[in-house]
Every structure is written in structure tokens, then in C-alpha cells.
Amino acid sequence: VNEFYGRDLAYIHDVGFGDFARRAAPWLLRSIHSSGPGRKLVVDLGCGSGIWAERLLAAGFDVVGVDISAHMVRLAKRRAGRARFVHGSVFRTRLPLCDEVTAISECIGYAADRTAGETQVAKLFCRVFAALRPGGLFVFDIAVAGRVGYEVVGCRLGKDWLTVVRARERRQTITREIIAFRRVGRRWRRSEETHRLRLYRPAWIVRTLRNQGFRVRTIRGYGQLRFAKGWLGFVARKPRIVRS
Ligand SMILES: C[S@@+](CC[C@H](N)C(=O)[O-])C[C@H]1O[C@@H](n2cnc3c(N)ncnc32)[C@H](O)[C@@H]1O
């Protein structure tokens, strides 16, 4: 069975790869604050272990997080207990009426199921637009062509974990074969996962968001946190007055 952020990879992402969310948080908070006063609800798509949700709660926001990994949701509940977390795919979960929507660290590009593709993403944009209050922001980042190039193999080592990843980019898709080891007592437990990410064309993303009614700009980072090559961010605002 190919798990998706199973028990050990969810743990490893939390302890070893949580810095992206931590470093993105200050800029994201400033952007959200700039869209007006009052208590607000933020929906975080692909919320992972709740690092960003925790920052939002601390800044006085209400949060709903959605993630397809039950193990991520468990970690998120433990970290940010005052938020509400939903276990499910962002492509199928009903979105509540909200003030802002975020999806950070490539979440929207993951092809966690076979229906992933342009149609599904376009429908998501439509649902986000409908869920947002006028003036609300939708901020997300995705991998685009050139993120991997052809093939790279990399190894990351933490205190009690190790990952070996072979990433390949072919035909608008990145495939990451991940072998993870986690120390449990005196043993190293091994698990394997294969993640696929669809690479959408930035021009298509912008056009699809605009067709939906969003005002859109692309960004190369979240403030001080700059994206690596083949990685792009989008800030989409629902206008205060929506033309029908
Ligand atoms: C790279 S992690 C980022 C997690 C978190 N946003 C962060 O920055 O720490 C990607 C997350 O997206 C989630 N994800 C991917 N596809 C998803 C989908 N279709 N629906 C819900 N969550 C999804 C994964 O389970 C994982 O937690």
C-alpha cells in the first residue's frame, strides 16, 4: 500500500521540514492583516502538522485546516487544538464561508488521487472563490516546470530520521520516490512512499483564477523566504464588488 504522509513521513515532515511554514508565516500574517480588521476565519488547505495554523491562532485568527493525511491531522490537532481540522481531500471537502484561504508548500499540485488535474484544480478555484468573503485573499504556492530538471537523488538526515528521495520530472509531473527511516527504540523502521505532483503552467493558473473573478499576481517568495527554482506563488484577491 502506498501511504501518503503515513505515520513516519508525517513525523519527519513535522520535525525536519516544518521550517518552510515557520519562515513563511510572518509575511503571510502581514498580508492577511492588511485585508482589514475584525476576527477572521482562515482555511488552510493541505495544513500538514498545523505549524501555520498554530501561528494563525496565536495572531487571533480562527482556523479550519484540511489535510488528506490522517497522521498529519493528528499532529495538527495536538499542536493547534483550538483550530478545527478536517481529514479529507481539498478537492472534495466542503469549504466554509471564510475570510482567507492558504495552501502553502506545493499542496495543490499533489496528485494524491487519480482524478488530479486541471479540471479538479479549476473546480477548486471556483469553490475557493465561492467560500471567500468579498475582499478575501487566496494565497498558495506550487511547483512548476524546472523544479527538479531531469532527476535528482537527495538524502536528509535528522536526529532520529533519514530520508532518501529520488525525484524525476517528466511530462509535467514530478515523481518523488521516498524511502524513510525512523529510529524507534533501538531499531530503524523503514517505510516507502511515492508522491506525484502535477506541474501546472503558471499562465494557465493565472488565467483560470482570473476567469473565476480573482485579481491575481505571482510572487517569488513569502517575504524573506524566497522560493527555489521551479516554484511559484500566487496571491489572488476576490474583489469587494463581484460583477455578475
Ligand atoms: C509538503 S506538505 C506541506 C504541509 C504544510 N502546508 C506545511 O507547510 O508544513 C503537503 C501537505 O499537503 C497535503 N495534501 C496533498 N494533497 C492533498 C489533498 N488533495 N487534500 C488535502 N491535503 C493534501 C499532504 O498530506 C501534506 O500534509
Side-chain angles (χ1 to χ4, degrees):
V1 182
N2 180 30
E3 267 205 293
F4 193 73
Y5 285 102
R7 174 177 54 177
D8 289 344
L9 201 58
Y11 167 82
I12 291 169
H13 190 278
D14 182 52
V15 297
F17 297 83
D19 250 18
F20 185 88
R22 274 183 209 101
R23 291 177 56 213
W27 184 89
L28 287 168
L29 281 175
R30 279 199 302 280
S31 309
I32 290 178
H33 275 303
S34 72
S35 61
R39 194 168 182 92
K40 292 178 177 177
L41 174 65
V42 180
V43 173
D44 187 29
L45 305 175
C47 60
S49 57
I51 293 169
W52 168 226
E54 185 184 36
R55 298 289 155 110
L56 283 164
L57 289 177
F61 293 97
D62 293 324
V63 184
V64 172
V66 182
D67 204 285
I68 202 164
S69 156
H71 295 278
M72 285 291 204
V73 168
R74 196 164 304 147
L75 293 174
K77 282 183 176 163
R78 206 177 297 160
R79 166 170 289 122
R82 280 190 296 114
R84 187 162 75 82
F85 293 101
V86 180
H87 173 217
S89 171
V90 299
F91 298 112
R92 283 184 291 276
T93 305
R94 205 186 64 76
L95 305 177
L97 179 67
C98 59
D99 300 281
E100 326 283 345
V101 176
T102 54
I104 63 170
S105 199
E106 304 179 326
C107 305
I108 287 174
Y110 277 86
D113 63 46
R114 294 205 172 272
T115 62
E118 288 189 352
T119 310
Q120 209 185 41
V121 170
K123 278 188 189 155
L124 175 68
F125 291 170
C126 172
R127 288 166 47 235
V128 169
F129 191 86
L132 278 173
R133 288 205 170 86
L137 277 183
F138 176 29
V139 185
F140 64 96
D141 62 87
I142 54 165
V144 296
R147 175 102 171 85
V148 172
Y150 178 65
E151 175 172 319
V152 284
V153 177
C155 205
R156 292 277 292 266
L157 178 67
K159 198 160 66 70
D160 57 355
W161 59 270
L162 164 71
T163 54
V164 184
V165 179
R166 176 161 65 185
R168 284 205 191 103
E169 182 175 329
R170 268 185 71 214
R171 286 198 230 111
Q172 302 294 310
T173 302
I174 290 174
T175 306
R176 291 185 182 135
E177 293 169 301
I178 305 165
I179 303 178
F181 295 90
R182 179 176 171 193
R183 191 162 58 203
V184 189
R186 298 172 68 175
R187 290 179 48 239
W188 284 84
R189 189 164 63 204
R190 175 195 161 110
S191 55
E192 289 184 28
E193 297 194 15
T194 301
H195 295 179
R196 285 194 185 78
L197 279 108
R198 286 289 177 86
L199 304 177
Y200 299 100
R201 282 169 297 113
W204 178 82
I205 294 274
V206 169
R207 187 162 16 97
T208 309
L209 287 165
R210 285 197 179 133
N211 286 346
Q212 197 52 63
F214 282 109
R215 303 223 173 92
V216 190
R217 67 188 172 94
T218 57
I219 48 172
R220 299 241 151 237
Y222 294 134
Q224 306 253 310
L225 170 63
R226 307 314 291 167
F227 300 139
K229 187 167 72 72
W231 200 333
L232 196 60
F234 299 81
V235 178
R237 186 183 290 282
K238 176 169 174 170
R240 287 192 191 281
I241 299 164
V242 179
R243 286 198 208 102
S244 54

Short mmCIF file of all heavy atoms in Angstrom, two decimals, residues 73-112:
data_model
loop_
_atom_site.label_atom_id
_atom_site.label_comp_id
_atom_site.label_asym_id
_atom_site.label_seq_id
_atom_site.Cartn_x
_atom_site.Cartn_y
_atom_site.Cartn_z
N VAL A 73 -3.12 15.20 10.29
CA VAL A 73 -4.24 15.80 11.03
C VAL A 73 -4.09 15.54 12.53
O VAL A 73 -4.31 16.41 13.36
CB VAL A 73 -5.60 15.27 10.50
CG1 VAL A 73 -6.74 15.64 11.42
CG2 VAL A 73 -5.86 15.81 9.09
N ARG A 74 -3.63 14.33 12.87
CA ARG A 74 -3.43 14.00 14.29
C ARG A 74 -2.38 14.93 14.91
O ARG A 74 -2.56 15.47 15.99
CB ARG A 74 -2.98 12.53 14.39
CG ARG A 74 -3.10 11.97 15.78
CD ARG A 74 -3.01 10.46 15.75
NE ARG A 74 -4.00 9.86 14.87
CZ ARG A 74 -3.83 8.75 14.16
NH1 ARG A 74 -2.68 8.11 14.19
NH2 ARG A 74 -4.79 8.27 13.41
N LEU A 75 -1.26 15.13 14.18
CA LEU A 75 -0.20 16.02 14.69
C LEU A 75 -0.73 17.45 14.81
O LEU A 75 -0.42 18.16 15.77
CB LEU A 75 1.02 16.00 13.76
CG LEU A 75 1.81 14.69 13.68
CD1 LEU A 75 2.89 14.78 12.60
CD2 LEU A 75 2.44 14.36 15.03
N ALA A 76 -1.52 17.86 13.83
CA ALA A 76 -2.05 19.23 13.82
C ALA A 76 -2.99 19.45 15.01
O ALA A 76 -2.92 20.49 15.67
CB ALA A 76 -2.79 19.50 12.51
N LYS A 77 -3.82 18.47 15.31
CA LYS A 77 -4.76 18.60 16.44
C LYS A 77 -3.99 18.73 17.74
O LYS A 77 -4.36 19.49 18.63
CB LYS A 77 -5.68 17.39 16.51
CG LYS A 77 -6.80 17.45 15.48
CD LYS A 77 -7.73 16.27 15.63
CE LYS A 77 -8.90 16.40 14.66
NZ LYS A 77 -9.61 15.15 14.46
N ARG A 78 -2.89 17.98 17.83
CA ARG A 78 -2.08 18.02 19.05
C ARG A 78 -1.42 19.40 19.20
O ARG A 78 -1.33 19.96 20.26
CB ARG A 78 -1.00 16.94 18.97
CG ARG A 78 -0.54 16.47 20.32
CD ARG A 78 0.46 15.35 20.20
NE ARG A 78 -0.05 14.15 19.59
CZ ARG A 78 0.71 13.19 19.04
NH1 ARG A 78 2.02 13.32 18.98
NH2 ARG A 78 0.17 12.12 18.52
N ARG A 79 -0.97 19.94 18.06
CA ARG A 79 -0.23 21.22 18.11
C ARG A 79 -1.17 22.43 18.27
O ARG A 79 -0.85 23.36 18.99
CB ARG A 79 0.60 21.38 16.84
CG ARG A 79 1.10 22.81 16.69
CD ARG A 79 2.12 23.00 15.60
NE ARG A 79 3.39 22.42 15.94
CZ ARG A 79 4.02 21.48 15.24
NH1 ARG A 79 3.48 21.02 14.15
NH2 ARG A 79 5.18 21.02 15.63
N ALA A 80 -2.28 22.40 17.55
CA ALA A 80 -3.13 23.60 17.48
C ALA A 80 -4.57 23.19 17.80
O ALA A 80 -5.46 23.26 16.95
CB ALA A 80 -3.03 24.21 16.08
N GLY A 81 -4.76 22.75 19.04
CA GLY A 81 -6.04 22.16 19.46
C GLY A 81 -7.25 23.06 19.31
O GLY A 81 -8.37 22.58 19.19
N ARG A 82 -7.05 24.38 19.30
CA ARG A 82 -8.19 25.29 19.21
C ARG A 82 -8.68 25.45 17.77
O ARG A 82 -9.74 26.03 17.53
CB ARG A 82 -7.84 26.65 19.81
CG ARG A 82 -7.91 26.66 21.34
CD ARG A 82 -7.80 28.05 21.90
NE ARG A 82 -6.53 28.68 21.62
CZ ARG A 82 -6.35 29.74 20.85
NH1 ARG A 82 -7.38 30.31 20.26
NH2 ARG A 82 -5.15 30.25 20.66
N ALA A 83 -7.92 24.96 16.80
CA ALA A 83 -8.36 25.02 15.40
C ALA A 83 -9.25 23.81 15.12
O ALA A 83 -9.27 22.86 15.88
CB ALA A 83 -7.16 25.03 14.47
N ARG A 84 -9.97 23.87 13.99
CA ARG A 84 -10.76 22.70 13.59
C ARG A 84 -10.05 22.06 12.41
O ARG A 84 -9.65 22.77 11.48
CB ARG A 84 -12.17 23.15 13.17
CG ARG A 84 -13.10 21.99 12.91
CD ARG A 84 -14.56 22.46 12.95
NE ARG A 84 -14.93 23.20 11.75
CZ ARG A 84 -15.29 22.62 10.60
NH1 ARG A 84 -15.31 21.31 10.49
NH2 ARG A 84 -15.64 23.36 9.57
N PHE A 85 -9.84 20.77 12.48
CA PHE A 85 -9.15 20.09 11.39
C PHE A 85 -10.06 19.05 10.75
O PHE A 85 -10.76 18.32 11.45
CB PHE A 85 -7.85 19.44 11.89
CG PHE A 85 -6.83 20.46 12.30
CD1 PHE A 85 -6.62 20.76 13.63
CD2 PHE A 85 -6.11 21.15 11.33
CE1 PHE A 85 -5.70 21.74 14.00
CE2 PHE A 85 -5.19 22.12 11.69
CZ PHE A 85 -4.98 22.41 13.03
N VAL A 86 -10.01 19.01 9.43
CA VAL A 86 -10.85 18.08 8.68
C VAL A 86 -9.92 17.13 7.93
O VAL A 86 -8.99 17.57 7.24
CB VAL A 86 -11.73 18.83 7.66
CG1 VAL A 86 -12.60 17.86 6.87
CG2 VAL A 86 -12.58 19.89 8.35
N HIS A 87 -10.17 15.83 8.09
CA HIS A 87 -9.39 14.85 7.36
C HIS A 87 -10.09 14.57 6.03
O HIS A 87 -11.19 14.02 6.00
CB HIS A 87 -9.27 13.56 8.20
CG HIS A 87 -8.62 12.45 7.45
ND1 HIS A 87 -9.01 11.14 7.58
CD2 HIS A 87 -7.61 12.46 6.54
CE1 HIS A 87 -8.27 10.39 6.78
NE2 HIS A 87 -7.42 11.17 6.14
N GLY A 88 -9.46 14.99 4.92
CA GLY A 88 -10.06 14.76 3.61
C GLY A 88 -9.28 15.48 2.53
O GLY A 88 -8.34 16.22 2.81
N SER A 89 -9.68 15.23 1.28
CA SER A 89 -9.00 15.90 0.17
C SER A 89 -9.55 17.31 -0.01
O SER A 89 -10.76 17.52 0.05
CB SER A 89 -9.21 15.10 -1.11
OG SER A 89 -8.72 15.87 -2.21
N VAL A 90 -8.67 18.23 -0.28
CA VAL A 90 -9.11 19.61 -0.53
C VAL A 90 -10.00 19.68 -1.77
O VAL A 90 -10.77 20.62 -1.94
CB VAL A 90 -7.92 20.59 -0.71
CG1 VAL A 90 -7.06 20.61 0.54
CG2 VAL A 90 -7.08 20.25 -1.93
N PHE A 91 -9.89 18.66 -2.63
CA PHE A 91 -10.67 18.66 -3.86
C PHE A 91 -12.10 18.18 -3.63
O PHE A 91 -12.92 18.22 -4.53
CB PHE A 91 -9.98 17.82 -4.94
CG PHE A 91 -8.62 18.38 -5.30
CD1 PHE A 91 -7.46 17.69 -4.99
CD2 PHE A 91 -8.52 19.61 -5.92
CE1 PHE A 91 -6.22 18.22 -5.30
CE2 PHE A 91 -7.29 20.16 -6.23
CZ PHE A 91 -6.14 19.46 -5.92
N ARG A 92 -12.36 17.70 -2.42
CA ARG A 92 -13.71 17.20 -2.14
C ARG A 92 -14.34 17.78 -0.88
O ARG A 92 -15.55 17.71 -0.71
CB ARG A 92 -13.69 15.66 -2.02
CG ARG A 92 -13.61 14.97 -3.38
CD ARG A 92 -13.70 13.48 -3.23
NE ARG A 92 -12.50 12.94 -2.61
CZ ARG A 92 -11.39 12.66 -3.27
NH1 ARG A 92 -11.31 12.84 -4.56
NH2 ARG A 92 -10.34 12.19 -2.65
N THR A 93 -13.52 18.36 0.00
CA THR A 93 -14.06 18.84 1.28
C THR A 93 -14.84 20.14 1.09
O THR A 93 -14.38 21.03 0.37
CB THR A 93 -12.90 19.06 2.28
OG1 THR A 93 -12.16 17.85 2.38
CG2 THR A 93 -13.41 19.47 3.65
N ARG A 94 -15.98 20.23 1.75
CA ARG A 94 -16.77 21.47 1.66
C ARG A 94 -16.05 22.58 2.39
O ARG A 94 -15.57 22.40 3.51
CB ARG A 94 -18.14 21.23 2.31
CG ARG A 94 -19.24 22.13 1.78
CD ARG A 94 -20.53 21.91 2.58
NE ARG A 94 -20.36 22.29 3.99
CZ ARG A 94 -20.33 23.55 4.44
NH1 ARG A 94 -20.49 24.56 3.59
NH2 ARG A 94 -20.16 23.80 5.72
N LEU A 95 -15.94 23.74 1.77
CA LEU A 95 -15.21 24.85 2.39
C LEU A 95 -16.21 25.79 3.06
O LEU A 95 -17.21 26.18 2.44
CB LEU A 95 -14.40 25.62 1.34
CG LEU A 95 -13.43 24.79 0.50
CD1 LEU A 95 -12.74 25.67 -0.54
CD2 LEU A 95 -12.39 24.12 1.40
N PRO A 96 -15.96 26.17 4.32
CA PRO A 96 -16.88 27.10 4.99
C PRO A 96 -16.70 28.52 4.47
O PRO A 96 -15.64 28.85 3.91
CB PRO A 96 -16.44 27.01 6.46
CG PRO A 96 -15.00 26.63 6.40
CD PRO A 96 -14.81 25.79 5.16
N LEU A 97 -17.71 29.34 4.68
CA LEU A 97 -17.58 30.77 4.38
C LEU A 97 -16.41 31.31 5.20
O LEU A 97 -16.34 31.08 6.40
CB LEU A 97 -18.88 31.47 4.78
CG LEU A 97 -18.94 32.97 4.55
CD1 LEU A 97 -18.91 33.30 3.07
CD2 LEU A 97 -20.19 33.56 5.21
N CYS A 98 -15.47 31.99 4.54
CA CYS A 98 -14.24 32.37 5.26
C CYS A 98 -13.68 33.68 4.71
O CYS A 98 -14.15 34.21 3.70
CB CYS A 98 -13.21 31.26 5.15
SG CYS A 98 -12.77 30.88 3.45
N ASP A 99 -12.64 34.17 5.40
CA ASP A 99 -12.04 35.45 5.03
C ASP A 99 -10.79 35.29 4.18
O ASP A 99 -10.47 36.15 3.36
CB ASP A 99 -11.71 36.24 6.30
CG ASP A 99 -12.97 36.50 7.10
OD1 ASP A 99 -13.71 37.42 6.74
OD2 ASP A 99 -13.24 35.74 8.06
N GLU A 100 -10.03 34.21 4.43
CA GLU A 100 -8.80 33.98 3.66
C GLU A 100 -8.63 32.47 3.48
O GLU A 100 -9.07 31.69 4.32
CB GLU A 100 -7.54 34.49 4.41
CG GLU A 100 -7.72 35.73 5.25
CD GLU A 100 -7.79 37.02 4.45
OE1 GLU A 100 -7.42 36.99 3.26
OE2 GLU A 100 -8.24 38.04 4.99
N VAL A 101 -7.93 32.11 2.38
CA VAL A 101 -7.60 30.70 2.15
C VAL A 101 -6.12 30.62 1.82
O VAL A 101 -5.61 31.42 1.03
CB VAL A 101 -8.43 30.10 0.99
CG1 VAL A 101 -8.01 28.66 0.71
CG2 VAL A 101 -9.93 30.15 1.31
N THR A 102 -5.42 29.67 2.45
CA THR A 102 -4.00 29.48 2.15
C THR A 102 -3.76 28.02 1.76
O THR A 102 -4.53 27.13 2.15
CB THR A 102 -3.11 29.83 3.37
OG1 THR A 102 -3.57 29.07 4.50
CG2 THR A 102 -3.16 31.30 3.70
N ALA A 103 -2.70 27.79 1.01
CA ALA A 103 -2.27 26.42 0.67
C ALA A 103 -0.78 26.50 0.43
O ALA A 103 -0.34 26.82 -0.67
CB ALA A 103 -3.00 25.92 -0.56
N ILE A 104 0.00 26.24 1.49
CA ILE A 104 1.44 26.51 1.35
C ILE A 104 2.26 25.22 1.27
O ILE A 104 1.87 24.18 1.81
CB ILE A 104 1.96 27.43 2.47
CG1 ILE A 104 1.82 26.80 3.84
CG2 ILE A 104 1.23 28.78 2.45
CD1 ILE A 104 2.55 27.62 4.91
N SER A 105 3.36 25.35 0.54
CA SER A 105 4.31 24.26 0.30
C SER A 105 3.75 23.22 -0.68
O SER A 105 3.65 22.04 -0.36
CB SER A 105 4.74 23.61 1.62
OG SER A 105 5.93 22.90 1.44
N GLU A 106 3.40 23.68 -1.84
CA GLU A 106 3.11 22.84 -3.02
C GLU A 106 1.85 22.00 -2.95
O GLU A 106 1.61 21.16 -3.80
CB GLU A 106 4.29 21.87 -3.29
CG GLU A 106 5.64 22.52 -3.47
CD GLU A 106 6.73 21.49 -3.70
OE1 GLU A 106 6.65 20.38 -3.13
OE2 GLU A 106 7.68 21.79 -4.44
N CYS A 107 1.01 22.20 -1.90
CA CYS A 107 -0.09 21.26 -1.63
C CYS A 107 -1.02 21.02 -2.82
O CYS A 107 -1.39 19.87 -3.10
CB CYS A 107 -0.95 21.78 -0.49
SG CYS A 107 0.01 22.11 0.98
N ILE A 108 -1.38 22.10 -3.53
CA ILE A 108 -2.40 21.97 -4.57
C ILE A 108 -1.92 21.12 -5.75
O ILE A 108 -2.70 20.49 -6.44
CB ILE A 108 -2.83 23.39 -5.03
CG1 ILE A 108 -3.70 24.01 -3.93
CG2 ILE A 108 -3.59 23.37 -6.36
CD1 ILE A 108 -4.08 25.43 -4.19
N GLY A 109 -0.61 21.06 -5.93
CA GLY A 109 -0.07 20.30 -7.06
C GLY A 109 -0.02 18.80 -6.83
O GLY A 109 0.13 18.03 -7.78
N TYR A 110 -0.17 18.37 -5.57
CA TYR A 110 -0.07 16.93 -5.30
C TYR A 110 -1.19 16.18 -6.00
O TYR A 110 -2.35 16.58 -5.93
CB TYR A 110 -0.17 16.64 -3.80
CG TYR A 110 1.14 16.81 -3.06
CD1 TYR A 110 1.53 18.05 -2.58
CD2 TYR A 110 1.99 15.72 -2.86
CE1 TYR A 110 2.74 18.21 -1.90
CE2 TYR A 110 3.19 15.87 -2.20
CZ TYR A 110 3.56 17.12 -1.72
OH TYR A 110 4.74 17.27 -1.07
N ALA A 111 -0.79 15.09 -6.66
CA ALA A 111 -1.79 14.23 -7.29
C ALA A 111 -2.02 13.05 -6.34
O ALA A 111 -1.55 11.95 -6.58
CB ALA A 111 -1.31 13.76 -8.65
N ALA A 112 -2.74 13.34 -5.25
CA ALA A 112 -2.94 12.31 -4.24
C ALA A 112 -3.93 11.25 -4.72
O ALA A 112 -3.98 10.16 -4.18
CB ALA A 112 -3.41 12.94 -2.93
#
